[in-house]
Every structure is written in structure tokens, then in C-alpha cells.
Amino acid sequence: MTQHLAAPSTGTSDEAAGHRTGWWQDAVIYQVYPRSFADGNGDGMGDLAGVRGRLPYLKELGVDAVWLSPFYASPQADAGYDVADYRAIDPMFGSLLDADALIRDAHDLGLRIIVDLVPNHSSDQHEWFKRALAEGPGSALRDRYHFRPGKGTDGELPPNDWESIFGGPAWTRTVNPDGTPGEWYLHLFAPEQPDFNWEHPAVADEFRSILRFWLDMGVDGFRVDVAHGLVKAEGLPDLGTHDQLKLLGNDVMPFFDQDGVHEIYRSWRTILDEYPGDRIAVAEAWTPTVERTANYVRPDEMHQAFNFQYLATAWDAAALREVIDTSLDAMRPVGAPTTWVLSNHDVTRHATRFANPAGLGTQIRTPGDRELGLRRARAASLLMLALPGSAYVYQGEELGLPDVTDLPDEARQDPSFFRADGQDGFRDGCRVPIPWTREGSSYGFGAGGSWLPQPTGWGELSVEAQTGAAGSTLELYRAAIAARRAHPGLGAGADVRWLEAPAGLLSFARPGFVCTVNTTGAPVRIPVQGTVLLSSAPVETDGDTVELPADTTVWWTV
Ligand code: NOJ
């Protein structure tokens, strides 16, 4: 049921928050995965009260904004990305009063709040979908989703050959109210996530209203889930192949990255612009090229788009240089900041990706060489935070957390794990609740256990263990983010000036500043570049030269 607030808070003004106009241009944005961040009521599941209690930690970390993954009323078939009521908080996370208090407290601390918006699909428990099913074929509500008769003599075959991203067909057959087999409906993700039909005006109207609801609550922006998926090609044409996973992300598909989506974002932009305080939208758009990603952030559309090409790049100097250049080049013509991201709740954490041989992709099942992974992860994070644009930090990466690769099958909750041949299947490993304290119940996550089991030794990686510890990953992040603030030139602009560097190294200049990265597994001696500001591993200059340890990034002021 939708809960209503008597007095919604208003947006933070730029002045009050201490940000200049266009705050998102170089913002460091921290992703909170509410289930796994902090548990305020001790039920083993993270919640909004838990997040609220930890806002001072985020303030101290120095981030500009917090993006919260979905906390809406949901049966949790896909950890909240199946929304039953877009204007209500799931009781497992709290209430609208908790959301209001969280937004207000964040604003008081000068932190901005970005919420997740899930417009491609709803839950199958959404009122519209439940009624569409109950009313049977011919129900007007079916037009708000993609219902179709099946193929074959008795409609026993799906309407087309599309596959779900989570594996299996993208269609599920319904049962008519009289018990006979009925039409099919489209779900690009789990069967519990029916896709909306964005050609229907009621869908567009509803989402404009949802945007306003959350803007009136005071949020500073939206991360738009599956932003590339809302519009489907006319007639829902067959793909003509059963090797869909190979095409995903490499091609424009009849259900992804259709040009028609942009009209929707133009209409949303006018709403965002009506509100004071620079409200933003961030696209989760998996497109074949960074150039196509740039279409989502044209001046009259969204403000940022995730740079998944960067996330998917191996720890390799040449590959990194290329993706940095193509990313900056692609965004420059549209005037949007380039974003940088290494981890999120859908991919193996970068400390574990980099612990494994390059080329295994973003879903990795093996722990690899943990020490190597952490060393590279720290270097990769310093590189990311030195680049111009906006950087995304996924909760726990500031602790250097690895993925938990040995979760028992019975603990797993990711729906793709239960659907054969899906895209991922192992996303639980990056969603394990984070450790706050060395000891104690769920290492300080909450007073009552944790919904996914935490590994033994997790406490040694905790916030408590790392706070004030010289050389800890947490202190490295704190220092790097503080340095970005102290040297505004660091995140600003849209260019890097590459400097000559030996093979396997990257070196680039930014105003008043040089960043050098050794991606090789061996130390390399280079000329001193200036004064060491920060480094991901200890470095000692020796007169005119410095030995860069293996897999190390150094920031220099010049
Ligand atoms: C992208 C989200 O990040 C992911 O967690 C979710 O499963 C899909 N979209 C479907 O909503």
C-alpha cells in the first residue's frame, strides 16, 4: 500500500550543500546496496535506518552523493528490481518516513541522494499486472505490458525467439481465469518482471508522476535501470539466433538501444529541469559502443551514463589507455562528463576480477591470487579517481573487499542462478553484507546475522580495522577523495594529456598534476614526475628517479 507523507522535504539548494552548479560533472558517487550496507533493526537484512545511521561514515569518506539500489515495495524476485509499488518502501527496508529522514539527514550533511528507477519492467505483483492477468485476454490493462498469443497450433510456442537476460525464454505463458492456457507475456529478465509497453500513454504518464513523487520527496536524481530497454522494435521481430548472449552489448538489438528510447528521456529532462538544485538522471545503458552511450547524455536527455566499457577493461596499460581515450572522445561532443566505474552489484568485484587472468570477463567464479587482486584494485581505483569526470564507488570497494566466491548453493538468491544458461548467475558474491567491525554479530552489519553468509576473517577487512591504519585501502580512498576536493582540477574538464611512458605504464598530466600507473607485474624505474601526493603502494624517490612497484599508481603534484 502506498504511504503518504504530510510534509515532504524539498531539494537541497546548491548553496546549502556547498556544491557549484553542475555538481555531477566531477562527483564521486557511492553506491549503497541497501540489503547489504547496514542493518538498523537486526533482522539480518540491511535497511534505510541502517543507511541513515552510517551517513557520517559516507560524509567522512568524502563522497558527493549516494545512489541507493531499489528499496521499493517488492516481492524481491530480483532483489528489489521487481517493483510492486513505486511510491512505497518495502517494509523490509522501512517506511516512507525513513526515506524522508534519510534524505533530510543526507542533505544536512551536504550529501546528495540518487534513487534507482526501474521503468523497463514492474513486478508481476504490481497492481496493473495482477489485474491484467485476472481480467483475462482483452483486458485493457494487458496493453500496458506485452501480451501476445503464442505461435504453433495451440499457441504453445512463444511469440518470438527472444531470450531472457537471466536465461531461458523471454516469454511466459499465462493461464486464463478459467484455467485454460492463455497468452504469453514478455519479460527480458525474470518471469516475475514483466516488461512495460512504453508505447502506451498510461505507462509514460505513470512514470512522469513517479519522477515527480520522488523529486517532491527531495531526491537529487535517478539511476535509470535498463535505460536502453524501454522501447522494443516495431512488431517484436525475431532475432534469428539462439546465440543472443554473444550479441548482447555488441549490437543494437530489437529490444535494446532502440532509437525511440531517447524521446522518453527528453520528456524526463524537462521535469528534472523544473526542480531547483540540479537534479540528475544517470543511464544504466548497455550499448554496443561508447558513441551510442553518448546518445543518452545529449544536452536535453540524461546527465550521465555508466561507462561499462571501462568497467570491462582488463588491467592492461594499452587497453586502459584506449578505453580512456574513446570514452572521453565520445562524451566531448555531447558535453557530458565521462563516468568511471569499476564495480557494482551486478559484476564480480574488481579486487577479484584483477586477481584472475585477464579475459575472464566480469563474472568470475574463482578467488584467484587475492594479494595480486588487491594490489591491482588499489592501483585501478587511484587511476579511476584521477580521471576527469564522475567516479562511482560500490560499497565495500573502499575496503578492498573481494567477491565471495564460495557461497554455498543453498545460500544463493540471485534469480539468474536458478535459470540455466543465464548471463550471470553469480551476482550474490558481490552482495555479501559489508563488515563494519572486527568482531561481533555479522561484523557490525547488524545485531542479527546477515542474509548472505559472510566469510571468516571478514572482520579484518572491516571499517574498524582499517580506520586510521596506515596504508589501508579505506585510508587510501579517503585520502584520494580528499585530494580530489583539494585539487579541483583533478576531476574537472574532459581531457588527459598523455606523457611518454615505458610499455605497460600509463602516464598522463592534468592541470598541476601527473598520474603514473605501472600495470606490469615488475617494478619499473622512471624519472621523478613531481612531488608524490598519493600512491597505491609505498614508493621512494631516489634523487631524480623513482622505482614504481608492480601494479602501482602514483599521483604527483607538479
Ligand atoms: C540492472 C540491475 O542492475 C540488475 O541488478 C537487475 O537485475 C536488472 N537491471 C533488471 O532490473
PDB file of all heavy atoms in Angstrom, residues 91-127:
ATOM      1  N   PRO A  91       8.546  -2.970   3.414  1.00  0.00           N
ATOM      2  CA  PRO A  91       8.681  -2.994   4.879  1.00  0.00           C
ATOM      3  C   PRO A  91      10.036  -3.552   5.333  1.00  0.00           C
ATOM      4  O   PRO A  91      10.533  -3.180   6.394  1.00  0.00           O
ATOM      5  CB  PRO A  91       7.538  -3.899   5.335  1.00  0.00           C
ATOM      6  CG  PRO A  91       6.564  -3.913   4.200  1.00  0.00           C
ATOM      7  CD  PRO A  91       7.315  -3.610   2.941  1.00  0.00           C
ATOM      8  N   MET A  92      10.649  -4.394   4.526  1.00  0.00           N
ATOM      9  CA  MET A  92      11.956  -4.931   4.955  1.00  0.00           C
ATOM     10  C   MET A  92      13.009  -3.818   5.020  1.00  0.00           C
ATOM     11  O   MET A  92      14.008  -3.936   5.720  1.00  0.00           O
ATOM     12  CB  MET A  92      12.429  -6.068   4.037  1.00  0.00           C
ATOM     13  CG  MET A  92      12.957  -5.621   2.715  1.00  0.00           C
ATOM     14  SD  MET A  92      13.963  -6.827   1.815  1.00  0.00           S
ATOM     15  CE  MET A  92      13.073  -8.298   1.933  1.00  0.00           C
ATOM     16  N   PHE A  93      12.766  -2.722   4.299  1.00  0.00           N
ATOM     17  CA  PHE A  93      13.720  -1.606   4.298  1.00  0.00           C
ATOM     18  C   PHE A  93      13.266  -0.438   5.161  1.00  0.00           C
ATOM     19  O   PHE A  93      14.027   0.474   5.420  1.00  0.00           O
ATOM     20  CB  PHE A  93      13.947  -1.102   2.872  1.00  0.00           C
ATOM     21  CG  PHE A  93      14.626  -2.102   1.978  1.00  0.00           C
ATOM     22  CD1 PHE A  93      14.050  -2.478   0.766  1.00  0.00           C
ATOM     23  CD2 PHE A  93      15.835  -2.673   2.336  1.00  0.00           C
ATOM     24  CE1 PHE A  93      14.670  -3.400  -0.064  1.00  0.00           C
ATOM     25  CE2 PHE A  93      16.468  -3.606   1.512  1.00  0.00           C
ATOM     26  CZ  PHE A  93      15.881  -3.968   0.311  1.00  0.00           C
ATOM     27  N   GLY A  94      11.990  -0.430   5.570  1.00  0.00           N
ATOM     28  CA  GLY A  94      11.498   0.662   6.397  1.00  0.00           C
ATOM     29  C   GLY A  94      10.221   1.253   5.827  1.00  0.00           C
ATOM     30  O   GLY A  94       9.380   0.535   5.279  1.00  0.00           O
ATOM     31  N   SER A  95      10.083   2.560   5.935  1.00  0.00           N
ATOM     32  CA  SER A  95       8.857   3.236   5.505  1.00  0.00           C
ATOM     33  C   SER A  95       9.225   4.522   4.777  1.00  0.00           C
ATOM     34  O   SER A  95      10.392   4.920   4.740  1.00  0.00           O
ATOM     35  CB  SER A  95       8.020   3.600   6.737  1.00  0.00           C
ATOM     36  OG  SER A  95       8.735   4.582   7.480  1.00  0.00           O
ATOM     37  N   LEU A  96       8.202   5.182   4.252  1.00  0.00           N
ATOM     38  CA  LEU A  96       8.456   6.476   3.601  1.00  0.00           C
ATOM     39  C   LEU A  96       8.994   7.490   4.605  1.00  0.00           C
ATOM     40  O   LEU A  96       9.761   8.379   4.243  1.00  0.00           O
ATOM     41  CB  LEU A  96       7.178   7.011   2.955  1.00  0.00           C
ATOM     42  CG  LEU A  96       6.884   6.492   1.542  1.00  0.00           C
ATOM     43  CD1 LEU A  96       5.572   7.090   1.044  1.00  0.00           C
ATOM     44  CD2 LEU A  96       8.008   6.829   0.565  1.00  0.00           C
ATOM     45  N   LEU A  97       8.612   7.333   5.861  1.00  0.00           N
ATOM     46  CA  LEU A  97       9.152   8.242   6.881  1.00  0.00           C
ATOM     47  C   LEU A  97      10.659   8.039   7.006  1.00  0.00           C
ATOM     48  O   LEU A  97      11.420   9.002   7.172  1.00  0.00           O
ATOM     49  CB  LEU A  97       8.465   7.997   8.226  1.00  0.00           C
ATOM     50  CG  LEU A  97       7.029   8.518   8.294  1.00  0.00           C
ATOM     51  CD1 LEU A  97       6.320   8.009   9.548  1.00  0.00           C
ATOM     52  CD2 LEU A  97       7.013  10.049   8.266  1.00  0.00           C
ATOM     53  N   ASP A  98      11.101   6.781   6.921  1.00  0.00           N
ATOM     54  CA  ASP A  98      12.549   6.515   6.976  1.00  0.00           C
ATOM     55  C   ASP A  98      13.253   7.128   5.762  1.00  0.00           C
ATOM     56  O   ASP A  98      14.350   7.670   5.874  1.00  0.00           O
ATOM     57  CB  ASP A  98      12.830   5.003   6.998  1.00  0.00           C
ATOM     58  CG  ASP A  98      12.342   4.353   8.267  1.00  0.00           C
ATOM     59  OD1 ASP A  98      12.581   4.921   9.351  1.00  0.00           O
ATOM     60  OD2 ASP A  98      11.703   3.287   8.176  1.00  0.00           O
ATOM     61  N   ALA A  99      12.604   7.006   4.598  1.00  0.00           N
ATOM     62  CA  ALA A  99      13.215   7.572   3.386  1.00  0.00           C
ATOM     63  C   ALA A  99      13.324   9.085   3.527  1.00  0.00           C
ATOM     64  O   ALA A  99      14.350   9.692   3.198  1.00  0.00           O
ATOM     65  CB  ALA A  99      12.394   7.200   2.153  1.00  0.00           C
ATOM     66  N   ASP A 100      12.266   9.682   4.042  1.00  0.00           N
ATOM     67  CA  ASP A 100      12.259  11.127   4.218  1.00  0.00           C
ATOM     68  C   ASP A 100      13.377  11.552   5.185  1.00  0.00           C
ATOM     69  O   ASP A 100      14.136  12.487   4.914  1.00  0.00           O
ATOM     70  CB  ASP A 100      10.887  11.545   4.764  1.00  0.00           C
ATOM     71  CG  ASP A 100      10.797  13.042   5.000  1.00  0.00           C
ATOM     72  OD1 ASP A 100      10.966  13.797   4.035  1.00  0.00           O
ATOM     73  OD2 ASP A 100      10.582  13.448   6.154  1.00  0.00           O
ATOM     74  N   ALA A 101      13.495  10.811   6.298  1.00  0.00           N
ATOM     75  CA  ALA A 101      14.523  11.152   7.293  1.00  0.00           C
ATOM     76  C   ALA A 101      15.919  10.979   6.689  1.00  0.00           C
ATOM     77  O   ALA A 101      16.827  11.787   6.928  1.00  0.00           O
ATOM     78  CB  ALA A 101      14.362  10.267   8.519  1.00  0.00           C
ATOM     79  N   LEU A 102      16.074   9.941   5.896  1.00  0.00           N
ATOM     80  CA  LEU A 102      17.375   9.682   5.265  1.00  0.00           C
ATOM     81  C   LEU A 102      17.743  10.818   4.307  1.00  0.00           C
ATOM     82  O   LEU A 102      18.876  11.330   4.322  1.00  0.00           O
ATOM     83  CB  LEU A 102      17.301   8.345   4.510  1.00  0.00           C
ATOM     84  CG  LEU A 102      18.468   7.964   3.618  1.00  0.00           C
ATOM     85  CD1 LEU A 102      19.747   7.815   4.430  1.00  0.00           C
ATOM     86  CD2 LEU A 102      18.176   6.646   2.889  1.00  0.00           C
ATOM     87  N   ILE A 103      16.781  11.240   3.511  1.00  0.00           N
ATOM     88  CA  ILE A 103      17.056  12.315   2.543  1.00  0.00           C
ATOM     89  C   ILE A 103      17.402  13.615   3.280  1.00  0.00           C
ATOM     90  O   ILE A 103      18.359  14.311   2.957  1.00  0.00           O
ATOM     91  CB  ILE A 103      15.845  12.505   1.594  1.00  0.00           C
ATOM     92  CG1 ILE A 103      15.640  11.245   0.746  1.00  0.00           C
ATOM     93  CG2 ILE A 103      16.028  13.732   0.700  1.00  0.00           C
ATOM     94  CD1 ILE A 103      14.280  11.170   0.050  1.00  0.00           C
ATOM     95  N   ARG A 104      16.628  13.886   4.317  1.00  0.00           N
ATOM     96  CA  ARG A 104      16.890  15.127   5.074  1.00  0.00           C
ATOM     97  C   ARG A 104      18.268  15.100   5.736  1.00  0.00           C
ATOM     98  O   ARG A 104      19.018  16.063   5.684  1.00  0.00           O
ATOM     99  CB  ARG A 104      15.824  15.335   6.152  1.00  0.00           C
ATOM    100  CG  ARG A 104      14.492  15.764   5.601  1.00  0.00           C
ATOM    101  CD  ARG A 104      13.463  15.790   6.736  1.00  0.00           C
ATOM    102  NE  ARG A 104      12.123  15.936   6.192  1.00  0.00           N
ATOM    103  CZ  ARG A 104      11.521  17.103   5.967  1.00  0.00           C
ATOM    104  NH1 ARG A 104      12.156  18.218   6.242  1.00  0.00           N
ATOM    105  NH2 ARG A 104      10.303  17.152   5.478  1.00  0.00           N
ATOM    106  N   ASP A 105      18.579  13.969   6.385  1.00  0.00           N
ATOM    107  CA  ASP A 105      19.877  13.885   7.078  1.00  0.00           C
ATOM    108  C   ASP A 105      21.024  13.994   6.085  1.00  0.00           C
ATOM    109  O   ASP A 105      22.034  14.642   6.354  1.00  0.00           O
ATOM    110  CB  ASP A 105      20.002  12.549   7.827  1.00  0.00           C
ATOM    111  CG  ASP A 105      19.246  12.566   9.139  1.00  0.00           C
ATOM    112  OD1 ASP A 105      18.496  13.532   9.377  1.00  0.00           O
ATOM    113  OD2 ASP A 105      19.415  11.606   9.925  1.00  0.00           O
ATOM    114  N   ALA A 106      20.851  13.323   4.942  1.00  0.00           N
ATOM    115  CA  ALA A 106      21.914  13.374   3.929  1.00  0.00           C
ATOM    116  C   ALA A 106      22.119  14.823   3.500  1.00  0.00           C
ATOM    117  O   ALA A 106      23.256  15.310   3.424  1.00  0.00           O
ATOM    118  CB  ALA A 106      21.536  12.500   2.735  1.00  0.00           C
ATOM    119  N   HIS A 107      21.040  15.517   3.249  1.00  0.00           N
ATOM    120  CA  HIS A 107      21.156  16.912   2.816  1.00  0.00           C
ATOM    121  C   HIS A 107      21.810  17.776   3.895  1.00  0.00           C
ATOM    122  O   HIS A 107      22.629  18.643   3.588  1.00  0.00           O
ATOM    123  CB  HIS A 107      19.786  17.460   2.430  1.00  0.00           C
ATOM    124  CG  HIS A 107      19.309  16.912   1.110  1.00  0.00           C
ATOM    125  ND1 HIS A 107      18.041  17.096   0.634  1.00  0.00           N
ATOM    126  CD2 HIS A 107      19.954  16.190   0.169  1.00  0.00           C
ATOM    127  CE1 HIS A 107      17.917  16.512  -0.546  1.00  0.00           C
ATOM    128  NE2 HIS A 107      19.066  15.958  -0.847  1.00  0.00           N
ATOM    129  N   ASP A 108      21.453  17.504   5.143  1.00  0.00           N
ATOM    130  CA  ASP A 108      22.077  18.284   6.224  1.00  0.00           C
ATOM    131  C   ASP A 108      23.588  18.094   6.228  1.00  0.00           C
ATOM    132  O   ASP A 108      24.335  18.975   6.633  1.00  0.00           O
ATOM    133  CB  ASP A 108      21.512  17.867   7.591  1.00  0.00           C
ATOM    134  CG  ASP A 108      20.101  18.401   7.786  1.00  0.00           C
ATOM    135  OD1 ASP A 108      19.680  19.272   6.988  1.00  0.00           O
ATOM    136  OD2 ASP A 108      19.415  17.939   8.715  1.00  0.00           O
ATOM    137  N   LEU A 109      24.025  16.890   5.797  1.00  0.00           N
ATOM    138  CA  LEU A 109      25.469  16.614   5.773  1.00  0.00           C
ATOM    139  C   LEU A 109      26.113  17.064   4.451  1.00  0.00           C
ATOM    140  O   LEU A 109      27.309  16.881   4.247  1.00  0.00           O
ATOM    141  CB  LEU A 109      25.703  15.104   5.938  1.00  0.00           C
ATOM    142  CG  LEU A 109      25.455  14.526   7.340  1.00  0.00           C
ATOM    143  CD1 LEU A 109      25.494  13.003   7.301  1.00  0.00           C
ATOM    144  CD2 LEU A 109      26.500  15.051   8.313  1.00  0.00           C
ATOM    145  N   GLY A 110      25.290  17.590   3.542  1.00  0.00           N
ATOM    146  CA  GLY A 110      25.845  18.004   2.248  1.00  0.00           C
ATOM    147  C   GLY A 110      26.000  16.839   1.282  1.00  0.00           C
ATOM    148  O   GLY A 110      26.738  16.927   0.302  1.00  0.00           O
ATOM    149  N   LEU A 111      25.298  15.721   1.569  1.00  0.00           N
ATOM    150  CA  LEU A 111      25.335  14.574   0.649  1.00  0.00           C
ATOM    151  C   LEU A 111      24.062  14.572  -0.193  1.00  0.00           C
ATOM    152  O   LEU A 111      22.974  14.861   0.321  1.00  0.00           O
ATOM    153  CB  LEU A 111      25.377  13.261   1.444  1.00  0.00           C
ATOM    154  CG  LEU A 111      26.643  12.967   2.246  1.00  0.00           C
ATOM    155  CD1 LEU A 111      26.385  11.819   3.216  1.00  0.00           C
ATOM    156  CD2 LEU A 111      27.784  12.609   1.290  1.00  0.00           C
ATOM    157  N   ARG A 112      24.194  14.210  -1.450  1.00  0.00           N
ATOM    158  CA  ARG A 112      23.008  14.128  -2.310  1.00  0.00           C
ATOM    159  C   ARG A 112      22.540  12.681  -2.402  1.00  0.00           C
ATOM    160  O   ARG A 112      23.326  11.756  -2.221  1.00  0.00           O
ATOM    161  CB  ARG A 112      23.328  14.669  -3.687  1.00  0.00           C
ATOM    162  CG  ARG A 112      23.704  16.148  -3.616  1.00  0.00           C
ATOM    163  CD  ARG A 112      24.003  16.702  -4.984  1.00  0.00           C
ATOM    164  NE  ARG A 112      24.511  18.053  -4.860  1.00  0.00           N
ATOM    165  CZ  ARG A 112      23.791  19.161  -5.081  1.00  0.00           C
ATOM    166  NH1 ARG A 112      22.535  19.078  -5.447  1.00  0.00           N
ATOM    167  NH2 ARG A 112      24.343  20.348  -4.938  1.00  0.00           N
ATOM    168  N   ILE A 113      21.256  12.537  -2.702  1.00  0.00           N
ATOM    169  CA  ILE A 113      20.683  11.191  -2.757  1.00  0.00           C
ATOM    170  C   ILE A 113      20.124  10.919  -4.162  1.00  0.00           C
ATOM    171  O   ILE A 113      19.308  11.691  -4.675  1.00  0.00           O
ATOM    172  CB  ILE A 113      19.535  11.036  -1.719  1.00  0.00           C
ATOM    173  CG1 ILE A 113      20.081  11.136  -0.290  1.00  0.00           C
ATOM    174  CG2 ILE A 113      18.785   9.732  -1.932  1.00  0.00           C
ATOM    175  CD1 ILE A 113      20.855   9.933   0.206  1.00  0.00           C
ATOM    176  N   ILE A 114      20.574   9.816  -4.725  1.00  0.00           N
ATOM    177  CA  ILE A 114      20.085   9.368  -6.031  1.00  0.00           C
ATOM    178  C   ILE A 114      19.360   8.046  -5.807  1.00  0.00           C
ATOM    179  O   ILE A 114      19.904   7.149  -5.152  1.00  0.00           O
ATOM    180  CB  ILE A 114      21.268   9.190  -7.001  1.00  0.00           C
ATOM    181  CG1 ILE A 114      21.891  10.563  -7.274  1.00  0.00           C
ATOM    182  CG2 ILE A 114      20.831   8.515  -8.294  1.00  0.00           C
ATOM    183  CD1 ILE A 114      23.147  10.512  -8.089  1.00  0.00           C
ATOM    184  N   VAL A 115      18.147   7.943  -6.321  1.00  0.00           N
ATOM    185  CA  VAL A 115      17.412   6.693  -6.145  1.00  0.00           C
ATOM    186  C   VAL A 115      17.342   5.939  -7.472  1.00  0.00           C
ATOM    187  O   VAL A 115      17.505   6.519  -8.544  1.00  0.00           O
ATOM    188  CB  VAL A 115      15.992   6.922  -5.571  1.00  0.00           C
ATOM    189  CG1 VAL A 115      16.079   7.456  -4.153  1.00  0.00           C
ATOM    190  CG2 VAL A 115      15.164   7.848  -6.460  1.00  0.00           C
ATOM    191  N   ASP A 116      17.098   4.656  -7.360  1.00  0.00           N
ATOM    192  CA  ASP A 116      17.023   3.804  -8.546  1.00  0.00           C
ATOM    193  C   ASP A 116      15.601   3.870  -9.103  1.00  0.00           C
ATOM    194  O   ASP A 116      14.639   3.809  -8.343  1.00  0.00           O
ATOM    195  CB  ASP A 116      17.342   2.361  -8.127  1.00  0.00           C
ATOM    196  CG  ASP A 116      18.273   1.661  -9.088  1.00  0.00           C
ATOM    197  OD1 ASP A 116      17.954   1.633 -10.287  1.00  0.00           O
ATOM    198  OD2 ASP A 116      19.303   1.137  -8.643  1.00  0.00           O
ATOM    199  N   LEU A 117      15.470   3.980 -10.387  1.00  0.00           N
ATOM    200  CA  LEU A 117      14.160   3.980 -11.020  1.00  0.00           C
ATOM    201  C   LEU A 117      14.146   2.777 -11.963  1.00  0.00           C
ATOM    202  O   LEU A 117      15.092   2.588 -12.725  1.00  0.00           O
ATOM    203  CB  LEU A 117      13.978   5.281 -11.807  1.00  0.00           C
ATOM    204  CG  LEU A 117      12.609   5.508 -12.409  1.00  0.00           C
ATOM    205  CD1 LEU A 117      11.611   5.841 -11.294  1.00  0.00           C
ATOM    206  CD2 LEU A 117      12.642   6.672 -13.400  1.00  0.00           C
ATOM    207  N   VAL A 118      13.091   1.987 -11.894  1.00  0.00           N
ATOM    208  CA  VAL A 118      13.061   0.737 -12.676  1.00  0.00           C
ATOM    209  C   VAL A 118      11.896   0.812 -13.673  1.00  0.00           C
ATOM    210  O   VAL A 118      10.808   0.281 -13.412  1.00  0.00           O
ATOM    211  CB  VAL A 118      12.930  -0.485 -11.735  1.00  0.00           C
ATOM    212  CG1 VAL A 118      13.132  -1.781 -12.511  1.00  0.00           C
ATOM    213  CG2 VAL A 118      13.929  -0.389 -10.583  1.00  0.00           C
ATOM    214  N   PRO A 119      12.091   1.453 -14.823  1.00  0.00           N
ATOM    215  CA  PRO A 119      10.976   1.695 -15.724  1.00  0.00           C
ATOM    216  C   PRO A 119      10.787   0.641 -16.825  1.00  0.00           C
ATOM    217  O   PRO A 119       9.782   0.674 -17.539  1.00  0.00           O
ATOM    218  CB  PRO A 119      11.358   3.027 -16.394  1.00  0.00           C
ATOM    219  CG  PRO A 119      12.860   3.000 -16.422  1.00  0.00           C
ATOM    220  CD  PRO A 119      13.302   2.164 -15.247  1.00  0.00           C
ATOM    221  N   ASN A 120      11.720  -0.292 -16.965  1.00  0.00           N
ATOM    222  CA  ASN A 120      11.582  -1.253 -18.068  1.00  0.00           C
ATOM    223  C   ASN A 120      10.531  -2.303 -17.760  1.00  0.00           C
ATOM    224  O   ASN A 120       9.847  -2.785 -18.646  1.00  0.00           O
ATOM    225  CB  ASN A 120      12.922  -1.941 -18.343  1.00  0.00           C
ATOM    226  CG  ASN A 120      12.818  -2.942 -19.475  1.00  0.00           C
ATOM    227  OD1 ASN A 120      12.595  -2.561 -20.619  1.00  0.00           O
ATOM    228  ND2 ASN A 120      12.917  -4.228 -19.161  1.00  0.00           N
ATOM    229  N   HIS A 121      10.429  -2.644 -16.466  1.00  0.00           N
ATOM    230  CA  HIS A 121       9.510  -3.715 -16.073  1.00  0.00           C
ATOM    231  C   HIS A 121       9.009  -3.432 -14.672  1.00  0.00           C
ATOM    232  O   HIS A 121       9.647  -2.707 -13.910  1.00  0.00           O
ATOM    233  CB  HIS A 121      10.233  -5.067 -16.089  1.00  0.00           C
ATOM    234  CG  HIS A 121      11.603  -4.989 -15.472  1.00  0.00           C
ATOM    235  ND1 HIS A 121      12.742  -4.834 -16.222  1.00  0.00           N
ATOM    236  CD2 HIS A 121      12.024  -4.997 -14.181  1.00  0.00           C
ATOM    237  CE1 HIS A 121      13.799  -4.768 -15.422  1.00  0.00           C
ATOM    238  NE2 HIS A 121      13.397  -4.860 -14.177  1.00  0.00           N
ATOM    239  N   SER A 122       7.892  -4.042 -14.322  1.00  0.00           N
ATOM    240  CA  SER A 122       7.431  -3.969 -12.938  1.00  0.00           C
ATOM    241  C   SER A 122       7.566  -5.363 -12.347  1.00  0.00           C
ATOM    242  O   SER A 122       8.121  -6.269 -12.971  1.00  0.00           O
ATOM    243  CB  SER A 122       5.968  -3.522 -12.886  1.00  0.00           C
ATOM    244  OG  SER A 122       5.121  -4.549 -13.390  1.00  0.00           O
ATOM    245  N   SER A 123       7.068  -5.513 -11.156  1.00  0.00           N
ATOM    246  CA  SER A 123       6.906  -6.854 -10.586  1.00  0.00           C
ATOM    247  C   SER A 123       5.632  -7.466 -11.154  1.00  0.00           C
ATOM    248  O   SER A 123       4.703  -6.746 -11.544  1.00  0.00           O
ATOM    249  CB  SER A 123       6.772  -6.728  -9.073  1.00  0.00           C
ATOM    250  OG  SER A 123       6.164  -7.870  -8.533  1.00  0.00           O
ATOM    251  N   ASP A 124       5.563  -8.788 -11.156  1.00  0.00           N
ATOM    252  CA  ASP A 124       4.287  -9.414 -11.549  1.00  0.00           C
ATOM    253  C   ASP A 124       3.237  -9.208 -10.452  1.00  0.00           C
ATOM    254  O   ASP A 124       2.068  -9.524 -10.652  1.00  0.00           O
ATOM    255  CB  ASP A 124       4.469 -10.899 -11.899  1.00  0.00           C
ATOM    256  CG  ASP A 124       4.959 -11.727 -10.723  1.00  0.00           C
ATOM    257  OD1 ASP A 124       5.326 -11.154  -9.664  1.00  0.00           O
ATOM    258  OD2 ASP A 124       4.988 -12.972 -10.856  1.00  0.00           O
ATOM    259  N   GLN A 125       3.671  -8.638  -9.309  1.00  0.00           N
ATOM    260  CA  GLN A 125       2.711  -8.330  -8.240  1.00  0.00           C
ATOM    261  C   GLN A 125       2.283  -6.860  -8.277  1.00  0.00           C
ATOM    262  O   GLN A 125       1.614  -6.382  -7.366  1.00  0.00           O
ATOM    263  CB  GLN A 125       3.315  -8.671  -6.869  1.00  0.00           C
ATOM    264  CG  GLN A 125       3.597 -10.151  -6.697  1.00  0.00           C
ATOM    265  CD  GLN A 125       2.374 -11.008  -7.002  1.00  0.00           C
ATOM    266  OE1 GLN A 125       1.323 -10.816  -6.411  1.00  0.00           O
ATOM    267  NE2 GLN A 125       2.499 -11.930  -7.956  1.00  0.00           N
ATOM    268  N   HIS A 126       2.687  -6.140  -9.309  1.00  0.00           N
ATOM    269  CA  HIS A 126       2.213  -4.762  -9.498  1.00  0.00           C
ATOM    270  C   HIS A 126       0.708  -4.829  -9.774  1.00  0.00           C
ATOM    271  O   HIS A 126       0.239  -5.735 -10.474  1.00  0.00           O
ATOM    272  CB  HIS A 126       2.961  -4.144 -10.686  1.00  0.00           C
ATOM    273  CG  HIS A 126       2.712  -2.678 -10.867  1.00  0.00           C
ATOM    274  ND1 HIS A 126       1.566  -2.184 -11.443  1.00  0.00           N
ATOM    275  CD2 HIS A 126       3.469  -1.596 -10.555  1.00  0.00           C
ATOM    276  CE1 HIS A 126       1.625  -0.862 -11.474  1.00  0.00           C
ATOM    277  NE2 HIS A 126       2.770  -0.480 -10.934  1.00  0.00           N
ATOM    278  N   GLU A 127      -0.018  -3.836  -9.257  1.00  0.00           N
ATOM    279  CA  GLU A 127      -1.476  -3.824  -9.391  1.00  0.00           C
ATOM    280  C   GLU A 127      -1.920  -3.990 -10.852  1.00  0.00           C
ATOM    281  O   GLU A 127      -2.845  -4.750 -11.158  1.00  0.00           O
ATOM    282  CB  GLU A 127      -1.972  -2.476  -8.824  1.00  0.00           C
ATOM    283  CG  GLU A 127      -3.350  -2.485  -8.250  1.00  0.00           C
ATOM    284  CD  GLU A 127      -3.669  -3.662  -7.358  1.00  0.00           C
ATOM    285  OE1 GLU A 127      -2.826  -4.050  -6.517  1.00  0.00           O
ATOM    286  OE2 GLU A 127      -4.766  -4.228  -7.529  1.00  0.00           O
TER     287      GLU A 127
END
